[in-house]
Amino acid sequence: MNIATWLYQTALVRPDAPAIRLGNDLYATYGDFARSAAHIGAFLCDTHGIGHGDRVAIFTRNAPEYLELLYGVLWIGATVVPVNHKLHPKEAAWIIANAEARVVFTESGTLFTGGTGLPPDVRELSIGSVPRDQLTAPINSPAGVSDDDTAWLFYTSGTTGRPKGVMITHRNLRVMAMTYPLDVDQIFPTDHPLYAAPMSHGAGLYNFHYVRIGACHVIPPSQGFDPAEIASLAKSLENITFFAAPTMIKRLIAHAQTVDYNGDGIRTIIYGGGPMYLADIDHALDVFGPRFAQIYGQGECPMTITAMNRDLVADTTHPDATQRRASVGLAQACVEIRIADEDLKDLPTGEVGEVLVCGDTVMAGYWRNPQATSATLVDGWLRTGDLGRLDSDGFLTLTDRSKDVIISGGTNIYPREVEEALLTHPDVYEIAVIGAPHADWGEEVVAFVVVRVGTSPSPETLTDWCKAQIASFKKPSRYIFVPDLPKNSYGKILKTQLRAQLGEQS
Ligand code: AMP
Protein backbone atom coordinates (compact mmCIF):
# COMPACT_ATOMS: atom_id res chain seq x y z
CA MET A 1 0.00 0.00 0.00
CA ASN A 2 1.20 3.48 -0.91
CA ILE A 3 1.70 5.52 2.29
CA ALA A 4 0.34 8.56 0.38
CA THR A 5 -3.08 6.83 0.48
CA TRP A 6 -3.42 8.17 4.01
CA LEU A 7 -3.41 11.74 2.71
CA TYR A 8 -5.94 10.84 0.01
CA GLN A 9 -8.30 9.28 2.56
CA THR A 10 -8.01 12.11 5.09
CA ALA A 11 -8.70 14.64 2.32
CA LEU A 12 -11.86 12.77 1.22
CA VAL A 13 -13.31 12.71 4.72
CA ARG A 14 -12.09 16.06 6.07
CA PRO A 15 -11.34 18.26 3.04
CA ASP A 16 -11.83 21.51 4.95
CA ALA A 17 -9.75 20.60 8.00
CA PRO A 18 -6.63 22.75 8.40
CA ALA A 19 -3.64 20.74 7.22
CA ILE A 20 -0.59 23.02 7.01
CA ARG A 21 0.19 26.33 8.68
CA LEU A 22 3.11 28.65 8.14
CA GLY A 23 3.38 29.94 11.68
CA ASN A 24 -0.14 30.97 12.69
CA ASP A 25 -1.33 31.43 9.10
CA LEU A 26 -3.28 28.71 7.35
CA TYR A 27 -1.46 27.58 4.20
CA ALA A 28 -3.56 24.56 3.14
CA THR A 29 -6.58 22.48 4.12
CA TYR A 30 -6.44 18.72 3.66
CA GLY A 31 -8.35 19.15 0.37
CA ASP A 32 -5.71 21.65 -0.85
CA PHE A 33 -2.86 19.50 0.41
CA ALA A 34 -4.03 16.34 -1.40
CA ARG A 35 -4.82 18.26 -4.62
CA SER A 36 -1.34 19.82 -4.57
CA ALA A 37 0.29 16.44 -4.03
CA ALA A 38 -1.71 14.81 -6.84
CA HIS A 39 -0.95 17.77 -9.11
CA ILE A 40 2.78 17.69 -8.35
CA GLY A 41 2.78 13.95 -9.05
CA ALA A 42 1.03 14.48 -12.40
CA PHE A 43 3.39 17.35 -13.25
CA LEU A 44 6.50 15.24 -12.49
CA CYS A 45 5.10 12.43 -14.58
CA ASP A 46 3.88 14.48 -17.56
CA THR A 47 6.65 17.07 -17.74
CA HIS A 48 9.66 15.11 -16.53
CA GLY A 49 8.75 11.50 -17.25
CA ILE A 50 9.05 10.49 -13.58
CA GLY A 51 7.38 7.19 -12.77
CA HIS A 52 7.34 4.29 -10.39
CA GLY A 53 10.66 3.85 -8.55
CA ASP A 54 12.33 6.98 -10.02
CA ARG A 55 14.09 9.21 -7.51
CA VAL A 56 13.25 12.86 -6.85
CA ALA A 57 15.39 14.83 -4.40
CA ILE A 58 14.34 17.71 -2.12
CA PHE A 59 17.14 20.02 -0.97
CA THR A 60 15.48 22.91 0.85
CA ARG A 61 14.89 24.23 4.31
CA ASN A 62 11.67 23.30 6.08
CA ALA A 63 8.77 24.86 4.20
CA PRO A 64 5.02 24.24 3.72
CA GLU A 65 5.80 23.08 0.18
CA TYR A 66 8.05 20.36 1.61
CA LEU A 67 5.08 18.23 2.65
CA GLU A 68 3.34 18.77 -0.70
CA LEU A 69 6.46 17.72 -2.61
CA LEU A 70 7.04 14.71 -0.38
CA TYR A 71 3.52 13.46 -1.02
CA GLY A 72 3.63 14.50 -4.69
CA VAL A 73 6.58 12.21 -5.30
CA LEU A 74 5.05 9.35 -3.31
CA TRP A 75 1.69 9.85 -5.06
CA ILE A 76 3.05 8.45 -8.36
CA GLY A 77 4.99 5.61 -6.70
CA ALA A 78 8.34 7.39 -7.08
CA THR A 79 10.98 7.54 -4.32
CA VAL A 80 11.68 10.74 -2.43
CA VAL A 81 15.27 11.64 -1.50
CA PRO A 82 15.19 14.34 1.21
CA VAL A 83 18.66 15.88 1.50
CA ASN A 84 19.74 17.74 4.64
CA HIS A 85 19.53 21.42 3.66
CA LYS A 86 22.55 22.31 5.79
CA LEU A 87 24.88 20.28 3.57
CA HIS A 88 27.19 22.06 1.16
CA PRO A 89 25.74 22.01 -2.38
CA LYS A 90 28.70 19.82 -3.41
CA GLU A 91 27.81 17.27 -0.72
CA ALA A 92 24.17 17.42 -1.77
CA ALA A 93 25.20 16.96 -5.42
CA TRP A 94 27.11 13.81 -4.43
CA ILE A 95 23.98 12.38 -2.79
CA ILE A 96 21.76 13.35 -5.72
CA ALA A 97 24.20 11.67 -8.13
CA ASN A 98 24.51 8.57 -5.92
CA ALA A 99 20.72 8.26 -5.73
CA GLU A 100 20.54 8.82 -9.52
CA ALA A 101 17.74 11.28 -8.88
CA ARG A 102 16.24 12.75 -12.06
CA VAL A 103 14.87 15.93 -10.50
CA VAL A 104 15.93 18.01 -7.50
CA PHE A 105 13.78 20.68 -5.89
CA THR A 106 15.63 23.64 -4.35
CA GLU A 107 14.42 27.00 -3.06
CA SER A 108 15.76 29.11 -5.93
CA GLY A 109 15.84 26.55 -8.72
CA THR A 110 19.33 27.81 -9.60
CA LEU A 111 21.41 26.64 -6.65
CA PHE A 112 23.46 24.22 -8.70
CA THR A 113 23.94 26.51 -11.68
CA GLY A 114 27.65 27.01 -12.32
CA GLY A 115 29.58 23.89 -11.42
CA THR A 116 28.65 22.25 -8.14
CA GLY A 117 28.97 18.73 -9.44
CA LEU A 118 25.31 18.04 -10.22
CA PRO A 119 25.15 15.50 -13.09
CA PRO A 120 24.08 17.29 -16.29
CA ASP A 121 20.94 15.19 -16.78
CA VAL A 122 19.42 16.16 -13.39
CA ARG A 123 16.73 18.85 -13.63
CA GLU A 124 16.77 21.45 -10.85
CA LEU A 125 13.38 23.01 -10.11
CA SER A 126 12.35 25.69 -7.65
CA ILE A 127 9.89 24.57 -4.97
CA GLY A 128 7.61 27.36 -6.13
CA SER A 129 7.65 26.26 -9.77
CA VAL A 130 4.62 23.99 -9.51
CA PRO A 131 1.58 26.27 -9.95
CA ARG A 132 -0.94 25.82 -7.13
CA ASP A 133 -3.72 28.06 -8.44
CA GLN A 134 -4.94 25.62 -11.12
CA LEU A 135 -5.79 23.00 -8.56
CA THR A 136 -9.49 22.50 -9.08
CA ALA A 137 -9.71 19.12 -10.82
CA PRO A 138 -10.92 16.10 -8.84
CA ILE A 139 -8.01 14.05 -7.61
CA ASN A 140 -7.06 10.51 -8.51
CA SER A 141 -5.95 8.13 -5.79
CA PRO A 142 -2.19 7.53 -5.36
CA ALA A 143 -0.51 4.90 -7.57
CA GLY A 144 -0.43 1.34 -6.30
CA VAL A 145 2.94 0.17 -5.02
CA SER A 146 4.29 -2.90 -3.31
CA ASP A 147 4.90 -2.70 0.45
CA ASP A 148 8.56 -3.42 -0.28
CA ASP A 149 9.04 -0.55 -2.71
CA THR A 150 11.34 2.18 -1.47
CA ALA A 151 9.34 5.26 -0.46
CA TRP A 152 12.14 7.33 1.10
CA LEU A 153 15.85 7.10 0.38
CA PHE A 154 17.39 8.37 3.60
CA TYR A 155 21.05 9.38 3.52
CA THR A 156 22.96 8.71 6.74
CA SER A 157 24.85 11.63 8.22
CA GLY A 158 28.13 10.01 7.13
CA THR A 159 30.29 11.13 10.06
CA THR A 160 32.75 8.31 9.31
CA GLY A 161 32.76 8.29 5.52
CA ARG A 162 30.51 8.88 2.53
CA PRO A 163 26.80 8.84 3.44
CA LYS A 164 24.89 5.68 2.55
CA GLY A 165 21.35 5.63 1.13
CA VAL A 166 19.02 3.71 3.44
CA MET A 167 16.07 2.20 1.55
CA ILE A 168 12.99 2.87 3.69
CA THR A 169 9.96 1.08 2.28
CA HIS A 170 6.26 1.93 2.35
CA ARG A 171 5.83 -0.88 4.89
CA ASN A 172 8.61 0.54 7.09
CA LEU A 173 6.90 3.94 7.13
CA ARG A 174 3.41 2.57 7.73
CA VAL A 175 4.51 0.37 10.63
CA MET A 176 6.64 3.18 12.09
CA ALA A 177 3.65 5.54 12.03
CA MET A 178 1.24 2.97 13.48
CA THR A 179 3.58 2.21 16.35
CA TYR A 180 3.86 5.86 17.41
CA PRO A 181 0.47 6.15 19.17
CA LEU A 182 1.02 2.78 20.84
CA ASP A 183 4.42 3.44 22.32
CA VAL A 184 5.51 7.05 21.99
CA ASP A 185 2.58 9.41 22.49
CA GLN A 186 -1.17 9.64 21.92
CA ILE A 187 -2.27 11.56 18.81
CA PHE A 188 -5.35 13.72 18.22
CA PRO A 189 -6.77 15.69 15.26
CA THR A 190 -6.34 18.82 17.40
CA ASP A 191 -2.55 18.31 17.58
CA HIS A 192 -0.12 20.76 16.04
CA PRO A 193 2.95 18.80 14.94
CA LEU A 194 5.68 21.41 14.50
CA TYR A 195 8.82 21.07 12.39
CA ALA A 196 11.68 22.59 14.37
CA ALA A 197 14.31 20.08 13.22
CA PRO A 198 15.15 19.30 9.56
CA MET A 199 12.30 17.55 7.72
CA SER A 200 14.86 15.48 5.82
CA HIS A 201 15.38 13.51 9.04
CA GLY A 202 13.34 12.36 12.04
CA ALA A 203 11.06 15.41 12.21
CA GLY A 204 9.89 14.81 8.63
CA LEU A 205 9.48 11.07 9.15
CA TYR A 206 7.05 11.90 11.94
CA ASN A 207 4.49 13.52 9.57
CA PHE A 208 2.71 10.32 8.51
CA HIS A 209 0.62 9.47 11.58
CA TYR A 210 -0.45 13.10 11.83
CA VAL A 211 -1.63 13.09 8.20
CA ARG A 212 -3.60 9.94 8.91
CA ILE A 213 -5.38 11.49 11.89
CA GLY A 214 -5.84 14.85 10.16
CA ALA A 215 -3.81 17.06 12.53
CA CYS A 216 -2.49 20.44 11.41
CA HIS A 217 1.24 20.60 10.58
CA VAL A 218 3.06 23.80 11.55
CA ILE A 219 6.13 25.13 9.78
CA PRO A 220 7.83 27.82 11.90
CA PRO A 221 8.41 30.95 9.78
CA SER A 222 12.10 30.88 10.82
CA GLN A 223 12.21 27.51 8.99
CA GLY A 224 14.35 26.17 11.79
CA PHE A 225 14.74 26.02 15.53
CA ASP A 226 14.10 29.26 17.37
CA PRO A 227 13.14 28.83 21.05
CA ALA A 228 11.30 32.18 21.28
CA GLU A 229 9.28 31.40 18.17
CA ILE A 230 8.33 27.95 19.47
CA ALA A 231 7.16 29.45 22.77
CA SER A 232 5.09 32.03 20.95
CA LEU A 233 3.51 29.49 18.53
CA ALA A 234 2.79 27.14 21.42
CA LYS A 235 0.91 29.89 23.24
CA SER A 236 -1.19 30.86 20.21
CA LEU A 237 -1.86 27.44 18.62
CA GLU A 238 -1.67 25.08 21.63
CA ASN A 239 -1.20 21.28 21.53
CA ILE A 240 2.20 21.71 19.91
CA THR A 241 4.24 18.56 19.63
CA PHE A 242 7.66 18.21 18.03
CA PHE A 243 10.80 16.13 17.69
CA ALA A 244 14.02 17.63 19.02
CA ALA A 245 17.61 16.54 19.50
CA PRO A 246 18.71 16.68 23.17
CA THR A 247 20.91 19.71 22.44
CA MET A 248 17.84 21.59 21.15
CA ILE A 249 15.99 20.85 24.38
CA LYS A 250 18.90 22.26 26.33
CA ARG A 251 18.69 25.50 24.36
CA LEU A 252 14.91 25.67 24.67
CA ILE A 253 15.03 25.21 28.43
CA ALA A 254 17.80 27.79 28.80
CA HIS A 255 15.68 30.29 26.84
CA ALA A 256 12.54 29.41 28.81
CA GLN A 257 14.30 30.22 32.07
CA THR A 258 15.36 33.65 30.87
CA VAL A 259 11.76 34.60 29.99
CA ASP A 260 9.97 32.64 32.71
CA TYR A 261 8.18 30.32 30.26
CA ASN A 262 6.91 27.02 31.67
CA GLY A 263 6.12 25.14 28.45
CA ASP A 264 2.42 26.14 28.22
CA GLY A 265 0.95 25.15 24.85
CA ILE A 266 3.51 22.39 24.29
CA ARG A 267 1.95 18.94 24.70
CA THR A 268 4.90 16.68 24.01
CA ILE A 269 8.51 17.05 22.96
CA ILE A 270 9.96 13.83 21.62
CA TYR A 271 13.69 13.70 22.13
CA GLY A 272 16.16 11.34 20.51
CA GLY A 273 18.88 11.12 17.92
CA GLY A 274 21.66 11.41 20.51
CA PRO A 275 22.29 10.87 24.22
CA MET A 276 20.09 12.76 26.68
CA TYR A 277 22.00 13.01 29.94
CA LEU A 278 20.20 12.43 33.20
CA ALA A 279 21.14 15.85 34.58
CA ASP A 280 19.66 17.51 31.47
CA ILE A 281 16.34 15.64 31.38
CA ASP A 282 15.88 16.14 35.12
CA HIS A 283 16.43 19.86 34.68
CA ALA A 284 14.06 19.97 31.69
CA LEU A 285 11.36 18.18 33.72
CA ASP A 286 11.82 20.68 36.55
CA VAL A 287 11.23 23.61 34.20
CA PHE A 288 8.55 22.21 31.82
CA GLY A 289 6.93 19.37 33.78
CA PRO A 290 5.94 16.04 32.24
CA ARG A 291 6.02 17.03 28.57
CA PHE A 292 8.80 14.74 27.36
CA ALA A 293 8.94 11.36 25.63
CA GLN A 294 12.02 9.67 24.24
CA ILE A 295 12.75 7.52 21.21
CA TYR A 296 15.87 5.73 20.07
CA GLY A 297 16.17 4.87 16.41
CA GLN A 298 18.50 5.20 13.47
CA GLY A 299 18.03 5.76 9.74
CA GLU A 300 18.29 1.99 9.30
CA CYS A 301 15.31 1.47 11.63
CA PRO A 302 13.63 4.86 11.51
CA MET A 303 12.46 6.20 14.90
CA THR A 304 11.50 2.73 16.12
CA ILE A 305 14.02 0.84 18.22
CA THR A 306 12.94 1.80 21.75
CA ALA A 307 10.69 4.40 23.33
CA MET A 308 9.81 5.85 26.70
CA ASN A 309 6.46 7.65 26.87
CA ARG A 310 5.68 10.74 28.96
CA ASP A 311 4.57 8.78 32.01
CA LEU A 312 7.76 6.71 32.07
CA VAL A 313 10.02 9.73 31.57
CA ALA A 314 8.31 11.67 34.37
CA ASP A 315 7.90 8.74 36.80
CA THR A 316 9.53 9.26 40.18
CA THR A 317 7.78 6.50 42.11
CA HIS A 318 9.28 3.30 40.76
CA PRO A 319 12.37 2.13 42.68
CA ASP A 320 14.34 2.11 39.38
CA ALA A 321 12.89 5.41 38.13
CA THR A 322 16.29 7.13 37.91
CA GLN A 323 18.00 4.31 35.99
CA ARG A 324 14.96 4.11 33.72
CA ARG A 325 15.13 7.83 32.96
CA ALA A 326 18.79 7.40 32.02
CA SER A 327 17.82 4.58 29.63
CA VAL A 328 16.29 4.81 26.15
CA GLY A 329 13.22 2.83 27.26
CA LEU A 330 11.54 -0.31 26.01
CA ALA A 331 11.56 -2.08 22.64
CA GLN A 332 8.83 -0.59 20.46
CA ALA A 333 5.91 -2.85 19.52
CA CYS A 334 7.16 -3.39 15.96
CA VAL A 335 10.64 -4.73 16.80
CA GLU A 336 12.53 -7.28 18.84
CA ILE A 337 15.88 -6.31 20.29
CA ARG A 338 18.74 -8.38 21.66
CA ILE A 339 22.21 -7.71 22.97
CA ALA A 340 25.00 -9.72 21.38
CA ASP A 341 28.75 -10.24 21.62
CA GLU A 342 31.15 -9.86 18.68
CA ASP A 343 30.09 -13.27 17.31
CA LEU A 344 26.46 -12.12 17.50
CA LYS A 345 25.68 -14.59 20.31
CA ASP A 346 23.16 -13.46 22.94
CA LEU A 347 24.58 -11.97 26.14
CA PRO A 348 22.93 -12.37 29.56
CA THR A 349 20.71 -9.62 31.00
CA GLY A 350 22.76 -6.70 32.26
CA GLU A 351 25.85 -7.31 30.09
CA VAL A 352 26.98 -4.72 27.56
CA GLY A 353 27.05 -5.71 23.90
CA GLU A 354 25.90 -4.58 20.48
CA VAL A 355 22.21 -3.76 20.09
CA LEU A 356 20.61 -5.88 17.35
CA VAL A 357 17.11 -5.23 16.02
CA CYS A 358 14.67 -7.16 13.87
CA GLY A 359 11.16 -6.25 12.74
CA ASP A 360 8.98 -4.55 10.15
CA THR A 361 10.67 -1.19 10.43
CA VAL A 362 14.19 -2.42 9.65
CA MET A 363 15.37 -1.04 6.28
CA ALA A 364 15.36 -3.09 3.09
CA GLY A 365 19.13 -2.44 2.75
CA TYR A 366 21.56 0.22 1.55
CA TRP A 367 20.98 1.63 -1.91
CA ARG A 368 23.22 -0.12 -4.44
CA ASN A 369 25.64 -1.19 -1.73
CA PRO A 370 25.32 -4.97 -1.20
CA GLN A 371 28.59 -5.11 0.74
CA ALA A 372 27.49 -2.62 3.39
CA THR A 373 24.04 -4.24 3.44
CA SER A 374 25.35 -7.73 4.18
CA ALA A 375 27.69 -6.38 6.87
CA THR A 376 24.77 -4.60 8.57
CA LEU A 377 21.82 -6.97 8.06
CA VAL A 378 22.83 -10.40 9.34
CA ASP A 379 20.29 -13.25 9.41
CA GLY A 380 17.47 -10.74 9.48
CA TRP A 381 19.00 -8.72 12.35
CA LEU A 382 20.14 -5.12 12.01
CA ARG A 383 23.54 -4.45 13.59
CA THR A 384 23.08 -0.97 15.02
CA GLY A 385 26.72 -0.36 15.96
CA ASP A 386 25.39 0.91 19.32
CA LEU A 387 26.45 -0.67 22.60
CA GLY A 388 24.00 -1.16 25.42
CA ARG A 389 22.54 -3.42 28.07
CA LEU A 390 19.02 -4.59 28.89
CA ASP A 391 17.72 -4.76 32.46
CA SER A 392 15.40 -7.50 33.65
CA ASP A 393 12.31 -5.35 32.89
CA GLY A 394 13.42 -4.77 29.29
CA PHE A 395 14.76 -1.19 29.61
CA LEU A 396 17.69 -0.59 27.27
CA THR A 397 20.54 1.62 28.44
CA LEU A 398 22.93 2.74 25.71
CA THR A 399 26.53 3.03 26.69
CA ASP A 400 28.03 4.29 23.45
CA ARG A 401 28.60 3.78 19.76
CA SER A 402 30.98 0.81 19.56
CA LYS A 403 33.58 2.97 17.86
CA ASP A 404 33.50 5.52 20.72
CA VAL A 405 34.40 3.08 23.49
CA ILE A 406 37.76 3.87 25.07
CA ILE A 407 40.08 0.95 25.80
CA SER A 408 42.63 2.05 28.39
CA GLY A 409 45.05 -0.46 29.90
CA GLY A 410 42.93 -3.24 28.40
CA THR A 411 39.75 -2.08 30.19
CA ASN A 412 36.65 -0.74 28.46
CA ILE A 413 35.60 2.75 29.51
CA TYR A 414 32.24 3.99 28.27
CA PRO A 415 32.49 7.76 27.67
CA ARG A 416 28.78 8.20 28.37
CA GLU A 417 29.31 7.16 32.00
CA VAL A 418 32.09 9.72 32.47
CA GLU A 419 30.01 12.38 30.73
CA GLU A 420 26.99 11.68 32.95
CA ALA A 421 29.19 12.04 36.06
CA LEU A 422 30.80 15.32 35.00
CA LEU A 423 27.54 16.86 33.81
CA THR A 424 26.18 16.78 37.34
CA HIS A 425 28.86 19.33 38.32
CA PRO A 426 27.16 22.73 38.57
CA ASP A 427 29.86 24.49 36.51
CA VAL A 428 29.71 22.07 33.57
CA TYR A 429 27.35 23.04 30.74
CA GLU A 430 28.32 20.55 28.02
CA ILE A 431 30.82 17.76 27.76
CA ALA A 432 32.26 15.23 25.32
CA VAL A 433 34.64 12.49 26.41
CA ILE A 434 36.83 10.69 23.88
CA GLY A 435 39.84 8.39 23.80
CA ALA A 436 43.22 9.66 22.65
CA PRO A 437 46.16 7.41 21.71
CA HIS A 438 48.53 6.87 24.66
CA ALA A 439 51.93 5.15 24.56
CA ASP A 440 51.51 3.17 27.80
CA TRP A 441 47.77 2.70 28.15
CA GLY A 442 46.68 2.29 24.54
CA GLU A 443 44.21 5.12 25.03
CA GLU A 444 43.70 7.82 27.63
CA VAL A 445 40.47 9.55 28.61
CA VAL A 446 40.17 13.16 27.43
CA ALA A 447 37.25 15.45 28.32
CA PHE A 448 36.23 18.47 26.22
CA VAL A 449 34.34 20.78 28.58
CA VAL A 450 32.10 23.79 27.99
CA VAL A 451 31.71 25.58 31.33
CA ARG A 452 28.75 27.67 32.44
CA VAL A 453 29.13 31.41 31.96
CA GLY A 454 31.03 33.02 34.83
CA THR A 455 32.61 29.80 36.13
CA SER A 456 36.08 28.31 35.71
CA PRO A 457 36.39 24.94 37.46
CA SER A 458 39.94 23.59 37.69
CA PRO A 459 40.87 20.14 36.32
CA GLU A 460 41.57 19.06 39.92
CA THR A 461 38.05 20.01 41.01
CA LEU A 462 36.54 18.06 38.13
CA THR A 463 38.76 15.06 38.85
CA ASP A 464 37.67 15.01 42.50
CA TRP A 465 34.05 15.30 41.41
CA CYS A 466 34.49 12.37 39.04
CA LYS A 467 36.25 10.20 41.60
CA ALA A 468 33.41 10.74 44.06
CA GLN A 469 31.00 9.12 41.58
CA ILE A 470 32.78 6.62 39.34
CA ALA A 471 35.83 4.34 39.48
CA SER A 472 39.09 6.25 39.50
CA PHE A 473 40.49 4.58 36.34
CA LYS A 474 37.62 6.13 34.34
CA LYS A 475 38.45 9.74 35.24
CA PRO A 476 39.79 11.94 32.44
CA SER A 477 43.55 12.43 32.46
CA ARG A 478 43.17 15.63 30.44
CA TYR A 479 40.58 18.40 30.31
CA ILE A 480 40.32 20.70 27.32
CA PHE A 481 38.14 23.75 27.97
CA VAL A 482 36.37 24.96 24.83
CA PRO A 483 33.74 27.66 24.12
CA ASP A 484 31.49 25.13 22.32
CA LEU A 485 31.45 21.63 20.89
CA PRO A 486 31.31 20.81 17.18
CA LYS A 487 27.84 19.53 16.21
CA ASN A 488 26.28 18.38 12.98
CA SER A 489 23.13 19.96 11.63
CA TYR A 490 20.97 17.59 13.66
CA GLY A 491 22.66 18.79 16.87
CA LYS A 492 24.79 15.66 17.37
CA ILE A 493 28.22 16.19 18.88
CA LEU A 494 30.88 15.29 16.33
CA LYS A 495 33.40 13.21 18.25
CA THR A 496 35.24 12.45 15.00
CA GLN A 497 36.11 16.18 14.76
CA LEU A 498 37.29 16.25 18.38
CA ARG A 499 39.53 13.24 17.71
CA ALA A 500 40.92 14.95 14.61
CA GLN A 501 41.49 18.14 16.65
CA LEU A 502 43.44 16.15 19.25
CA GLY A 503 45.47 14.44 16.52
CA GLU A 504 46.50 17.86 15.14
CA GLN A 505 47.53 19.10 18.59
CA SER A 506 49.75 16.10 19.45
P1 AMP B 1 20.86 8.60 12.62
O1 AMP B 1 20.80 7.37 11.78
O2 AMP B 1 21.61 9.72 11.99
O3 AMP B 1 19.49 9.01 13.09
O4 AMP B 1 21.72 8.26 13.96
C1 AMP B 1 21.30 7.21 14.77
C2 AMP B 1 22.21 7.08 15.97
O5 AMP B 1 21.98 8.15 16.91
C3 AMP B 1 21.92 5.81 16.75
O6 AMP B 1 22.55 4.68 16.18
C4 AMP B 1 22.45 6.17 18.13
O7 AMP B 1 23.86 6.04 18.19
C5 AMP B 1 22.09 7.65 18.26
N1 AMP B 1 20.80 7.80 18.94
C6 AMP B 1 19.57 7.87 18.41
N2 AMP B 1 18.63 8.03 19.36
C7 AMP B 1 19.28 8.04 20.55
C8 AMP B 1 18.86 8.18 21.91
N3 AMP B 1 17.59 8.34 22.26
N4 AMP B 1 19.84 8.15 22.87
C9 AMP B 1 21.14 7.99 22.54
N5 AMP B 1 21.59 7.89 21.28
C10 AMP B 1 20.68 7.90 20.28
Side-chain angles (χ1 to χ4, degrees):
M1 192 197 91
N2 189 331
I3 188 87
T5 306
W6 284 358
L7 172 59
Y8 180 62
Q9 291 169 336
T10 301
L12 289 180
V13 180
R14 306 182 59 210
D16 299 325
I20 306 176
R21 286 181 187 279
L22 178 60
N24 289 303
D25 300 334
L26 185 64
Y27 171 85
T29 62
Y30 269 95
D32 301 332
F33 183 6
R35 273 193 302 276
S36 298
H39 181 76
I40 289 168
F43 162 81
L44 285 170
C45 185
D46 299 344
T47 319
H48 297 283
I50 303 291
H52 181 261
D54 290 333
R55 274 81 54 211
V56 175
I58 306 177
F59 182 47
T60 74
R61 288 180 295 174
N62 291 356
E65 292 90 344
Y66 208 111
L67 287 168
E68 297 175 315
L69 291 172
L70 194 69
Y71 278 86
V73 175
L74 295 172
W75 206 272
I76 51 171
T79 301
V80 66
V81 189
V83 183
N84 176 2
H85 74 89
K86 290 185 182 164
L87 291 182
H88 189 280
K90 283 189 178 158
E91 295 170 310
W94 185 91
I95 289 175
I96 294 160
N98 182 265
E100 292 176 28
R102 308 247 312 265
V103 169
V104 54
F105 284 96
T106 61
E107 266 154 62
S108 63
T110 55
L111 183 74
F112 292 101
T113 313
T116 39
L118 196 67
D121 54 340
V122 182
R123 286 296 307 273
E124 179 184 353
L125 301 173
S126 136
I127 52 171
S129 66
V130 182
R132 298 181 74 239
D133 51 3
Q134 303 168 2
L135 308 180
T136 48
I139 50 174
N140 295 322
S141 57
V145 297
S146 141
D147 274 355
D148 296 320
D149 285 343
T150 304
W152 182 310
L153 197 53
F154 174 104
Y155 275 81
T156 58
S157 41
T159 45
T160 52
R162 285 287 197 190
K164 294 191 280 289
V166 175
M167 294 187 286
I168 300 179
T169 65
H170 287 267
R171 178 192 285 108
N172 291 154
L173 292 178
R174 190 172 70 240
V175 177
M176 174 198 75
M178 288 167 70
T179 305
Y180 183 96
L182 280 177
D183 287 343
V184 184
D185 196 30
Q186 288 179 293
I187 58 173
F188 304 94
T190 46
D191 282 342
H192 283 115
L194 174 129
Y195 297 88
M199 293 171 86
S200 54
H201 214 77
L205 283 163
Y206 265 174
N207 86 81
F208 296 103
H209 39 271
Y210 287 115
V211 164
R212 174 69 188 171
I213 206 164
C216 184
H217 308 257
V218 181
I219 313 294
S222 68
Q223 300 180 288
F225 173 67
D226 175 344
E229 183 182 47
I230 290 177
S232 147
L233 286 171
K235 282 185 217 154
S236 59
L237 292 173
E238 299 190 336
N239 293 320
I240 291 276
T241 160
F242 60 96
F243 175 75
T247 46
M248 290 163 66
I249 294 186
K250 228 175 142 116
R251 281 174 54 199
L252 179 62
I253 295 292
H255 165 81
Q257 286 191 294
T258 59
V259 295
D260 216 8
Y261 171 54
N262 66 0
D264 270 356
I266 296 178
R267 202 158 60 76
T268 311
I269 305 175
I270 316 295
Y271 62 91
M276 170 62 100
Y277 299 103
L278 192 55
D280 290 338
I281 187 63
D282 283 351
H283 181 52
L285 285 164
D286 279 348
V287 179
F288 270 13
R291 296 180 207 268
F292 298 93
Q294 178 178 204
I295 64 99
Y296 155 51
Q298 56 177 208
E300 290 81 348
C301 186
M303 315 301 268
T304 43
I305 303 179
T306 60
M308 197 154 44
N309 64 24
R310 279 191 305 189
D311 291 345
L312 282 172
V313 171
D315 182 33
T316 50
T317 55
H318 192 277
D320 296 335
T322 308
Q323 286 102 294
R324 287 181 171 187
R325 210 158 43 256
S327 80
V328 289
L330 301 161
Q332 292 197 29
C334 52
V335 294
E336 272 179 81
I337 54 182
R338 64 189 184 93
I339 304 294
D341 65 14
E342 279 165 14
D343 300 322
L344 304 189
K345 299 236 164 47
D346 280 350
L347 286 168
T349 303
E351 282 197 25
V352 173
E354 184 174 356
V355 180
L356 306 188
V357 190
C358 125
D360 274 347
T361 46
V362 170
M363 67 167 178
Y366 292 114
W367 169 251
R368 300 205 173 147
N369 195 340
Q371 223 178 340
T373 302
S374 57
T376 308
L377 293 179
V378 182
D379 298 332
W381 289 87
L382 167 72
R383 299 190 63 165
T384 62
D386 291 318
L387 295 179
R389 59 172 184 275
L390 282 168
D391 74 9
S392 51
D393 296 336
F395 284 81
L396 174 70
T397 299
L398 291 183
T399 46
D400 277 285
R401 297 285 300 163
S402 47
K403 62 179 184 328
D404 289 336
V405 171
I406 303 169
I407 304 179
S408 186
T411 308
N412 282 8
I413 298 173
Y414 299 107
R416 169 94 186 244
E417 212 187 336
V418 187
E419 290 162 354
E420 293 271 14
L422 281 168
L423 258 182
T424 59
H425 191 283
D427 295 348
V428 175
Y429 177 68
E430 264 187 337
I431 186 116
V433 169
I434 61 167
H438 188 277
D440 299 329
W441 298 102
E443 282 186 295
E444 64 172 334
V445 181
V446 178
F448 284 79
V449 186
V450 181
V451 297
R452 283 190 195 280
V453 179
T455 68
S456 52
S458 68
E460 295 72 33
T461 316
L462 296 179
T463 295
D464 289 345
W465 187 268
C466 238
K467 277 167 47 185
Q469 298 178 73
I470 53 175
S472 179
F473 73 89
K474 298 177 184 171
K475 68 181 186 302
S477 52
R478 266 199 282 163
Y479 293 89
I480 299 176
F481 294 92
V482 287
D484 47 35
L485 294 169
K487 300 193 183 97
N488 74 8
S489 49
Y490 301 116
K492 288 189 205 217
I493 294 170
L494 289 169
K495 290 197 171 177
T496 36
Q497 268 191 30
L498 294 174
R499 277 191 278 268
Q501 200 175 315
L502 265 188
E504 282 160 21
Q505 282 171 9
S506 57

